[in-house]
Amino acid sequence: MRKRIADNRQCLFELRREKMSGQLLDEEQYRLEKSFYEKEIVQFERRLAEAAEELRKNSDLTELYENVADMLDELLDLDFDHFDEMQLILKKLLSQITVDRSGDIQVVTAFGLPLQEPACEEETELSHR
């Protein structure tokens, strides 16, 4: 896309040079070609920006998944006799846990994904108390 942008800019430059030197006498043809090259440049610049944004998003997601995988590995390797270590890893993975009066639990991960748990059944709710 960068090459196409550069090629179109070069064509536009040469078109202007021809017009200024008097080699191009047809004003309508000049405007038509100039408009074509300018539109091409804008389209390729937009596509290039979109591709760069998509690449950035994919890079961010890849980094996020790698971080989560690392944290999960730490959690799996954890000796549950070490409460402080377990608490630290859970704090890295979870940003918020909310329980409402009806027993609905909402867990929000550190990377922004909400995890929903349905309300406890009456028997289970009593056994948790």
Side-chain angles (χ1 to χ4, degrees):
M1 282 185 265
R2 287 186 182 117
K3 171 107 173 76
R4 296 287 305 265
I5 291 169
D7 290 347
N8 277 301
R9 285 188 176 142
Q10 182 63 36
C11 289
L12 190 56
F13 172 77
E14 290 173 14
L15 181 66
R16 288 179 178 143
R17 185 184 326 173
E18 286 178 15
K19 177 157 175 26
M20 291 176 67
S21 70
Q23 294 175 353
L24 185 66
L25 301 176
D26 187 356
E27 186 66 31
E28 185 62 30
Q29 183 69 27
Y30 169 76
R31 276 191 244 125
L32 186 79
E33 289 182 34
K34 179 179 176 264
S35 174
F36 172 79
Y37 291 129
E38 288 171 341
K39 285 179 185 175
E40 286 267 313
I41 290 169
V42 168
Q43 288 174 350
F44 282 117
E45 285 175 338
R46 188 190 77 247
R47 286 175 51 195
L48 185 61
E50 289 170 354
E53 179 64 19
E54 187 67 28
L55 185 61
R56 185 194 61 78
K57 286 180 183 177
N58 287 341
S59 175
D60 290 350
L61 280 176
T62 300
E63 183 179 335
L64 175 67
Y65 289 133
E66 288 172 358
N67 288 341
V68 169
D70 290 344
M71 286 186 237
L72 289 174
D73 285 342
E74 287 180 34
L75 190 58
L76 290 173
D77 293 339
L78 184 64
D79 177 4
F80 288 98
D81 293 335
H82 298 97
F83 179 77
D84 291 339
E85 190 177 343
M86 181 176 64
Q87 183 181 18
L88 179 65
I89 292 172
L90 288 174
K91 281 183 177 181
K92 287 181 185 179
L93 288 172
L94 306 175
S95 67
Q96 181 180 7
I97 300 174
T98 308
V99 181
D100 64 19
R101 291 184 190 269
S102 65
D104 290 330
I105 301 170
Q106 182 182 21
V107 178
V108 180
T109 62
F111 37 92
L113 298 174
L115 305 173
Q116 292 285 90
E117 183 68 29
C120 297
E121 295 178 11
E122 197 64 35
E123 293 174 19
T124 309
E125 189 173 320
L126 292 175
S127 65
H128 287 286
R129 292 183 184 167

